[in-house]
Amino acid sequence: MTNFNILYTVLKYIPSPIRMESIIVGLAVHIPTKKFSHFYKIKNTKRVSSFDDEYNKDFFNMIMDSLSYDLDYQENGHPETIFDDEKERFKDIEDLEFLEERTAYLANDFQFSPVESLQTNNEDLEKDIEDLQKMYLYYDRPKPQRITKTEVKRLLEKQINSYHLANLVKSPQIHDDFGGTNLFDYQINNDIYVKAISFDYSRLNQLSSELKNVIYDLNTIQVSKVILARNENLKSLPEEQKSAFEKFVDKLNKLRQSKNLDVRLVPLSEFEITLNKI
């Protein structure tokens, strides 16, 4: 089965340059080999207006429509149905830099993340695009349909596979005090350990157990570089989960100081850029 890459970037709305708080309002997806590009915009705009008390509906919609005009293209095996002016506007649709060039001009209130990639195939393509929407346009879906930790881990695997790393080990054999070995999902370049983590548990006890396990493992095993790849939208978590996240971050900061541990807690949309810096 032939593999190919999905390229994507996440659009964040940042109404205040001082507070720098953000909410995800869109997802741009590009598949060069399929001559496909699409901008998936947030449907639950009530969340945007609640996030920003100075929200301008007309201005917001203008930006969203402009991005759809710049990004939405699909030949779908029938190029004869595409207008000539549209073919001209999207003559670079097969370029790997297409997405970056189409989104680089935005700044200030609207900012796209660095372009990420994940490896897919024809069989998985529809599911992968759906999972990206579930990950980043999280609150457009009812709770039972939101992304799970298993799906976060699946997306992480596909992203890492798309990098074609020469020195990659899946499920590295690192033992904890009790003989367990399933502590990390990947080992990269012999010294970077990666684990998918989610803060979106409906039951706080489950979240608490996972976070305590991560802290315990980091405190007891001998590693020096760790990337914890997390889900997005943490600003909108319920208060109990948000409090657990903040306490977890505090404990990570203490571990950094006490163990000289380089540990990064980052969303999937920032994984590659973090990997290149660590």
Side-chain angles (χ1 to χ4, degrees), residues 39 60-71 105:
F39 177 64
F60 184 87
N61 288 338
M62 181 189 72
I63 295 294
M64 297 293 106
D65 291 343
S66 174
L67 287 168
S68 293
Y69 179 81
D70 288 341
L71 292 166
Y105 70 92

Side-chain angles (χ1 to χ4, degrees), residues 8-10 12 113-119 132 135-136 152-165 167-169 184-189 191-197 225-232 262-278:
Y8 73 90
T9 175
V10 176
K12 294 182 179 180
S113 67
V115 175
E116 265 285 1
S117 65
L118 61 88
Q119 190 176 86
L132 284 172
M135 166 67 83
Y136 296 108
V152 173
K153 189 172 179 178
R154 178 176 174 274
L155 285 178
L156 172 63
E157 178 178 11
K158 285 180 167 286
Q159 282 193 195
I160 287 180
N161 287 341
S162 74
Y163 305 155
H164 302 292
L165 299 169
N167 206 339
L168 174 67
V169 178
F184 295 99
D185 299 317
Y186 296 95
Q187 180 186 17
I188 299 173
N189 296 334
D191 64 345
I192 302 172
Y193 293 88
V194 179
K195 184 178 183 67
I197 189 170
K225 298 178 182 179
V226 176
I227 302 177
L228 302 175
R230 63 167 175 81
N231 57 313
E232 303 268 354
D262 188 354
V263 55
R264 316 283 181 98
L265 178 64
V266 299
L268 274 180
S269 60
E270 298 175 15
F271 183 82
E272 185 175 17
I273 194 170
T274 302
L275 182 60
N276 291 332
K277 288 181 177 179
I278 193 168

Side-chain angles (χ1 to χ4, degrees), residues 124-136:
D124 295 342
L125 178 58
E126 186 175 339
K127 169 65 173 170
D128 289 339
I129 292 179
E130 181 183 6
D131 282 352
L132 284 172
Q133 292 178 73
K134 289 171 71 175
M135 166 67 83
Y136 296 108

Side-chain angles (χ1 to χ4, degrees), residues 25-252:
V25 295
L27 167 72
V29 169
H30 175 220
I31 309 174
T33 58
K34 297 289 186 181
K35 297 183 181 180
F36 172 86
S37 176
H38 194 81
F39 177 64
Y40 300 92
K41 53 191 174 184
I42 190 171
K43 298 175 184 176
N44 188 358
T45 54
K46 288 184 178 179
R47 182 164 290 276
V48 183
S49 60
S50 299
F51 175 76
D52 177 21
D53 58 8
E54 296 182 355
Y55 164 73
N56 184 321
K57 178 181 178 180
D58 292 335
F59 175 70
F60 184 87
N61 288 338
M62 181 189 72
I63 295 294
M64 297 293 106
D65 291 343
S66 174
L67 287 168
S68 293
Y69 179 81
D70 288 341
L71 292 166
D72 290 357
Y73 184 84
Q74 181 176 11
E75 286 196 4
N76 197 28
H78 300 284
E80 68 277 4
T81 64
I82 307 298
F83 294 113
D84 289 340
D85 66 327
E86 198 172 1
K87 289 182 181 179
E88 179 63 24
R89 284 195 297 111
F90 288 92
K91 62 184 179 181
D92 57 343
I93 188 65
E94 295 181 85
D95 293 352
L96 296 179
E97 296 78 22
F98 168 86
L99 198 55
E100 185 172 351
E101 291 177 357
R102 294 284 173 120
T103 59
Y105 70 92
L106 282 182
N108 301 323
D109 290 3
F110 294 89
Q111 296 181 21
F112 276 100
S113 67
V115 175
E116 265 285 1
S117 65
L118 61 88
Q119 190 176 86
T120 189
N121 51 59
N122 286 328
E123 183 178 342
D124 295 342
L125 178 58
E126 186 175 339
K127 169 65 173 170
D128 289 339
I129 292 179
E130 181 183 6
D131 282 352
L132 284 172
Q133 292 178 73
K134 289 171 71 175
M135 166 67 83
Y136 296 108
L137 301 179
Y138 183 84
Y139 292 101
D140 279 350
R141 297 172 181 268
K143 287 183 179 181
Q145 297 178 22
R146 292 176 183 172
I147 197 161
T148 65
K149 180 189 173 182
T150 300
E151 290 166 331
V152 173
K153 189 172 179 178
R154 178 176 174 274
L155 285 178
L156 172 63
E157 178 178 11
K158 285 180 167 286
Q159 282 193 195
I160 287 180
N161 287 341
S162 74
Y163 305 155
H164 302 292
L165 299 169
N167 206 339
L168 174 67
V169 178
K170 187 174 182 179
S171 301
Q173 296 297 298
I174 296 184
H175 295 265
D176 62 17
D177 291 347
F178 305 100
T181 59
N182 192 23
L183 309 182
F184 295 99
D185 299 317
Y186 296 95
Q187 180 186 17
I188 299 173
N189 296 334
N190 297 319
D191 64 345
I192 302 172
Y193 293 88
V194 179
K195 184 178 183 67
I197 189 170
S198 174
F199 292 89
D200 189 34
Y201 282 90
S202 57
R203 294 172 56 191
L204 193 61
N205 285 341
Q206 288 180 296
L207 174 61
S208 175
S209 295
E210 174 167 358
L211 298 185
K212 283 190 289 187
N213 288 341
V214 172
I215 292 296
Y216 177 83
D217 289 339
L218 292 178
N219 194 42
T220 55
I221 60 180
Q222 297 302 312
V223 294
S224 60
K225 298 178 182 179
V226 176
I227 302 177
L228 302 175
R230 63 167 175 81
N231 57 313
E232 303 268 354
N233 302 294
L234 300 188
K235 291 290 184 181
S236 301
L237 286 174
E239 285 304 316
E240 288 183 325
Q241 280 85 344
K242 189 185 297 184
S243 175
F245 166 71
E246 291 169 351
K247 291 175 181 177
F248 182 71
V249 170
D250 182 60
K251 291 186 179 296
L252 287 182

